[in-house]
Amino acid sequence: DTAQLEKAMEGALAEKGLLENKNGETSDLAKDLVQVVLQNAKAEPIRIFGPGHKRRLSEQWGIDHTFSMPLMDKIAANGDAGTPFVLENPDSPQSKIYRDLAKSVVSEVAKAKFSSSRPDITYDSDSRMIQVDDETLTPVALRRACRCAACVEEMTGRQILVASDVKESIKPSRMSSTGNYALSVDWSDGHRSLYPYRQIKALLPNKGGNKKQEAKSGEKQGDLQQA
């Protein structure tokens, strides 16, 4: 926090003989240096992946819990010294983030152990439909909904994939579960996709998702042609 930072700054200045003036009082230079550092410390944190990245991750990959982890030298130093930062600084904002992360891990482990929201998904080669529990989804609709880095611009969420480039005859060559949260699909066009189960459920016709996705893809295609 700022109190700890101010104390550390004063200690560093004292070591260099810059903290006090001839009269034994804190020098104006020391005061100015401390204020500059504190003002910069209060500045907005740097978002390495841009603003809104946690929300995009959640929407793109079905991640329920996302955290911005603080990058601090002291956290690493404490870990190396054997005294966790959260124990030495239990009331700090950084420690709260780690506590929230730990609670989320416990919650997710409990859900994985005692309940499962994973649907049963198979491909019927005769009807050329993807079976999701008791409902069906066309392979082309699922392929066009891919949100990997090759199909969607990661930083902005803008769709890169042109819907009409995906042939209606496309089909999955392999499907497998990835943990309890997503389905991995190898497509006949050589592409590989990862779909959170909640995204697949949203695409089902009775959810209104399939038609919405096709309409959205058509609108984006029209925008690209006009451009």
Side-chain angles (χ1 to χ4, degrees):
D1 56 22
T2 54
Q4 290 177 324
L5 181 58
E6 184 173 1
K7 186 176 180 180
M9 276 290 299
E10 289 177 349
L13 289 169
E15 286 181 6
K16 300 293 184 181
L18 299 174
L19 181 63
E20 297 179 348
N21 58 25
K22 297 186 214 179
N23 301 322
E25 300 172 341
T26 302
S27 67
D28 291 338
L29 174 61
K31 291 178 182 178
D32 291 342
L33 284 173
V34 170
Q35 286 304 310
V36 168
V37 171
L38 291 178
Q39 287 172 5
N40 288 330
K42 293 177 182 178
E44 284 295 314
I46 298 173
R47 306 296 179 183
I48 298 175
F49 301 102
H53 186 68
K54 291 195 297 183
R55 175 185 53 78
R56 290 195 297 273
L57 275 179
S58 179
E59 294 175 353
Q60 187 167 349
W61 302 117
I63 300 173
D64 291 327
H65 307 284
T66 58
F67 299 88
S68 293
M69 304 307 294
L71 302 178
M72 296 174 58
D73 292 341
K74 185 163 179 55
I75 292 177
N78 275 47
D80 293 338
T83 304
F85 179 87
V86 294
L87 295 183
E88 189 176 274
N89 306 274
D91 299 323
S92 67
Q94 295 80 13
S95 294
K96 182 180 183 305
I97 294 174
Y98 282 101
R99 286 197 300 271
D100 291 343
L101 172 59
K103 290 177 183 177
S104 297
V105 170
V106 172
S107 173
E108 289 303 311
V109 170
K111 284 196 293 184
K113 185 176 181 180
F114 299 109
S115 65
S116 176
S117 59
R118 184 171 70 185
D120 183 24
I121 303 177
T122 57
Y123 174 64
D124 186 342
S125 58
D126 293 330
S127 64
R128 297 182 61 82
M129 296 290 286
I130 294 174
Q131 191 77 27
V132 184
D133 289 335
D134 297 327
E135 301 179 64
T136 58
L137 180 66
T138 62
V140 68
L142 187 60
R143 172 65 183 89
R144 288 172 177 170
C146 179
R147 297 187 61 80
C148 75
C151 296
V152 173
E153 193 173 83
E154 186 177 2
M155 298 299 288
T156 64
R158 181 181 65 85
Q159 185 173 347
I160 299 172
L161 175 69
V162 178
S164 59
D165 287 347
V166 180
K167 297 180 180 179
E168 296 286 339
S169 60
I170 196 167
K171 61 181 180 180
S173 55
R174 181 175 176 274
M175 298 193 300
S176 60
S177 296
T178 301
N180 286 314
Y181 81 99
L183 179 74
S184 175
V185 181
D186 292 341
W187 294 101
S188 56
D189 64 355
H191 191 75
R192 174 174 290 181
S193 302
L194 186 68
Y195 301 96
Y197 289 123
R198 70 180 185 185
Q199 180 190 6
I200 295 175
K201 291 176 181 178
L203 290 169
L204 295 173
N206 73 344
K207 304 290 185 184
N210 196 7
K211 293 180 181 179
K212 182 179 179 181
Q213 178 65 27
E214 293 293 340
K216 187 176 180 181
S217 297
E219 290 173 2
K220 288 182 178 294
Q221 173 62 12
D223 292 343
L224 288 171
Q225 289 177 344
Q226 290 176 8

